[in-house]
Amino acid sequence: MQQNIIINLESLLELSARLNETHDKEFILNSTLLSLMGKLKVLRAGVLLPKNNGLSLFLSKGKFSPSFFKYDLSKCSGDYSDLREYLGEQNIRFVFPIEYREKLFAFICLGDRLTGNNLSSEEEKYARLVCTISANALQNAEHQASLIQEKITIEQRNQLLTTLFEMSRDFSNLLSKKEIIKMLSFHLMGQLMVNRFAIFQIENNKIEDAYINRFEKLEDVSVLNRMTRIKEPVICDNSNYGENFSEYCLKYGIKVIAPMFVQGNPKALLIIGKKMNASNFTDENIQFIEALGNTSISTLESERLFKEEIEKKKLENELNLALDIQKNLLPKNVPSVNNFEIHGISLPSRHVGGDYFDFIKLSDTRTLVAIADVSGKGLPAALLMANVQAALRVIAPLGLPLKEIVQRLNKIVFLNTSSDKFVTFFVGILDSEYQTFEYINAGHNPPVILHSDLQIEHLKAGGLILGFMDEPFEYEQAVVKLHKDSVICLFTDGITEALDTQNAEYGEERLESLLKDIRKFPVNEMLNIIVEDVQQFAIGTQQFDDITLIGVKVI
């Protein structure tokens, strides 16, 4: 049994190599048929090809009569069981389709065998493998034939391409839309004797603005939109797009309609009127129009992209300036606070971000610490963040209770933003005299306190996010007693919601575990280690949110 299997594999490999060396359909099918007849010891066999929903005999071996092939293939079931039954009545014992994916090439039909009219499972498997190899070879042959035909077509168009070379070179040196349209006009008038034409932009299969329109009126937008479905240049006199279409073309003197493509996508529509000498448009004219249209629209598209790139550079420069401004809004210097070591860090996911942190010295013993996350990203979030920062810098020195500070900020955010904008906010006051941390959490990720005994505490007391409602909200306020070596870590969701390549979150547990491992490091080193760990966790993915951290350590 083992020897038979090896022989089958060797023969299959040899057959595959032989069939893929050629692109002759008859050779492939003949070799396939002979291989099956030899291996399965079949006395007569044939190859049937699908033709006009029926079958035609392509090859036959032995006494294989074609007189009964009147079967309607369009009614055949998916597994060809009814075809097998039909052919079985003609003493055809086995029928194997040669298919590539859903494409049917042929049927191998086998008659009587020398060793009986049943196939073992191994023999049937062998036959199907041979048909699969044959199908792949036939597909390759068709592909090769199409490449050869394409080569012939390309060679036939070489003369036209040579003619168009200088025209393309002229277009490539133009950067002004006005100059490009002028060049197009010269070629239409010079080569085709045409003085009326129009170019309409296409967006989502609809006509948009015109690059140029030298027709008096082209009123019916519905007919123009119907023209966007045209996939290749057409001569209107010979078109079959309906009576209204023909009447429209006749009314305005439209003779040729040519879509203009950029990388296979329709970007514009070239509409051309009659020639000034009243002659008809030839096939060569249509080829010229197609090449001219695609060349000119490619140049117009390049001109548009060039302008967009300039605007993009200007925007990048403005964003870089905005980033510098935003960096200047964050604390430049870490305040010196007795018994506390403090540090903060912020990394925007884009040029500018919506995260914010701040330190504000209220007195020799009291320091306000704040962290916030503005909804959204980019420039809009950064502008709202700047608003919150400015408001807090004005309100904090007034000596107001924390509740009133938060309520005033909520009012400012509500009045100055739309309903879909909000801010998560956490604010606390470090008191070095009493070693306490008084705080309010307005919908922010609860900061973590790692106490000296390694117990974890989450700072959740507070209330609603800022900007959610106009009415004053009674925020809950809490005070935490701190001890030597206690560590407070304030963060935004860019830390805990960072994703790895499997879409798993970094999470609070990993952050808390890391804090325990690095608690003896200086605060600035702690924060850098956390950021590096998050970035290592999310390696291979794009940073989707701003990353902001504040660290406080009792010393």
Side-chain angles (χ1 to χ4, degrees), residues 384 387-388 391 395 406-423 465-472:
L384 180 53
N387 196 3
V388 173
I395 296 172
V406 175
Q407 287 172 347
R408 289 195 180 192
L409 284 175
N410 176 69
K411 184 81 170 180
I412 291 170
V413 174
F414 182 86
L415 293 177
N416 289 278
T417 60
S418 58
S419 59
D420 62 331
K421 296 296 181 183
F422 58 85
V423 179
I465 55 179
L466 303 184
F468 183 74
M469 59 185 297
D470 187 23
E471 298 297 324

Side-chain angles (χ1 to χ4, degrees), residues 10 32 37 60 66 75 133 142 146 180 192 199 207 233 254 261 289 292 352 384 395 403 405 411 419 485 488 498:
E10 288 177 350
T32 302
M37 291 181 71
S60 65
K75 298 179 180 179
I133 292 170
E142 281 198 359
S146 68
I180 296 168
L192 302 177
I199 301 176
I207 293 293
I254 298 172
F261 292 96
I289 289 170
L292 175 63
V352 290
L384 180 53
I395 296 172
K403 285 185 180 181
I405 291 175
K411 184 81 170 180
S419 59
D485 295 328
I488 308 174

Side-chain angles (χ1 to χ4, degrees), residues 17 26 30 35 53 99 120 129 213 243 258 274 327 400 409 444 446 452 479 521:
E26 183 174 355
N30 190 58
S35 176
N53 290 328
E99 296 178 298
S120 68
L129 286 172
N213 183 5
E243 185 176 348
K274 63 183 180 181
K327 287 180 179 178
L400 303 172
L409 284 175
H444 195 75
S452 55
V479 179
F521 285 86

Side-chain angles (χ1 to χ4, degrees), residues 115-349:
T115 57
N117 290 325
N118 292 318
L119 293 178
S120 68
S121 59
E122 183 181 351
E123 288 172 329
E124 185 166 343
K125 183 178 181 181
Y126 173 83
R128 295 188 185 281
L129 286 172
V130 168
C131 289
T132 299
I133 292 170
S134 178
N136 287 331
L138 288 169
Q139 177 64 23
N140 289 338
E142 281 198 359
H143 181 64
Q144 180 67 16
S146 68
L147 291 177
I148 293 173
Q149 183 58 46
E150 185 68 21
K151 180 182 177 182
I152 293 172
T153 303
I154 291 172
E155 289 174 351
Q156 290 174 343
R157 299 182 67 181
N158 275 344
Q159 186 176 358
L160 176 63
L161 293 175
T162 302
T163 304
L164 294 169
F165 176 75
E166 286 190 15
M167 178 188 72
S168 300
R169 185 180 58 188
D170 291 340
F171 272 112
S172 66
N173 293 325
L174 302 177
L175 286 176
S176 164
K177 181 166 67 174
K178 183 178 179 181
E179 291 176 342
I180 296 168
I181 297 297
K182 186 177 180 180
M183 179 69 69
L184 175 65
S185 303
F186 285 160
H187 283 291
L188 286 174
M189 289 186 290
Q191 297 288 335
L192 302 177
M193 298 294 289
V194 169
N195 64 356
R196 286 205 301 169
F197 65 93
I199 301 176
F200 291 97
Q201 290 177 278
I202 295 177
E203 189 70 33
N204 297 323
N205 296 321
K206 290 185 178 180
I207 293 293
E208 297 293 337
D209 296 335
Y211 283 110
I212 186 173
N213 183 5
R214 289 190 174 177
F215 289 90
E216 292 181 4
K217 289 184 179 180
L218 291 175
E219 297 172 339
D220 195 334
V221 177
S222 63
V223 177
L224 285 173
N225 285 335
R226 196 189 314 167
M227 292 179 183
T228 63
R229 299 199 294 266
I230 296 173
K231 302 302 180 185
E232 58 186 15
V234 297
I235 299 175
C236 297
D237 296 341
N238 305 329
S239 68
N240 56 354
Y241 285 88
E243 185 176 348
N244 292 340
F245 181 87
S246 300
E247 290 179 356
Y248 186 88
C249 293
L250 182 62
K251 178 180 178 180
Y252 294 106
I254 298 172
K255 290 296 182 179
V256 176
I257 300 169
M260 304 167 75
F261 292 96
V262 176
Q263 296 181 346
N265 298 313
K267 291 292 184 180
L269 195 67
L270 174 59
I271 301 175
I272 298 174
K274 63 183 180 181
K275 294 183 180 181
M276 289 183 283
N277 61 7
S279 63
N280 295 325
F281 286 90
T282 65
D283 291 341
E284 289 74 18
N285 292 157
I286 297 302
Q287 288 182 324
F288 177 81
I289 289 170
E290 183 177 17
L292 175 63
N294 291 337
T295 301
S296 56
I297 193 60
S298 295
T299 311
L300 286 168
E301 189 71 3
S302 297
E303 184 262 353
R304 181 185 66 82
L305 293 174
F306 180 72
K307 285 186 175 180
E308 284 186 359
E309 185 65 22
I310 293 175
E311 292 299 319
K312 181 181 176 182
K313 291 294 183 183
K314 288 172 62 178
L315 180 59
E316 286 180 354
N317 291 335
E318 292 174 359
L319 287 174
N320 288 330
L321 178 60
L323 179 58
D324 290 338
I325 294 173
Q326 186 179 42
K327 287 180 179 178
N328 289 329
L329 293 177
L330 297 175
K332 295 183 181 63
N333 300 308
V334 177
S336 177
V337 183
N338 290 335
N339 303 324
F340 290 107
E341 184 183 353
I342 304 174
H343 196 73
I345 188 172
S346 185
L347 301 175
S349 62

Side-chain angles (χ1 to χ4, degrees), residues 337-340 363-367 429-438 479-484 486 554-555:
V337 183
N338 290 335
N339 303 324
F340 290 107
S363 68
D364 291 339
T365 60
R366 288 161 54 85
T367 302
I429 296 177
L430 287 169
D431 193 315
S432 60
E433 182 178 358
Y434 298 102
Q435 286 203 174
T436 59
F437 188 45
E438 179 185 12
V479 179
V480 179
K481 180 65 177 176
L482 302 175
H483 302 280
K484 190 177 185 302
S486 292
V554 182
I555 56 177

Side-chain angles (χ1 to χ4, degrees), residues 304 344 393 407 464 475:
R304 181 185 66 82
R393 287 289 180 94
Q407 287 172 347
L464 291 174
Y475 287 92

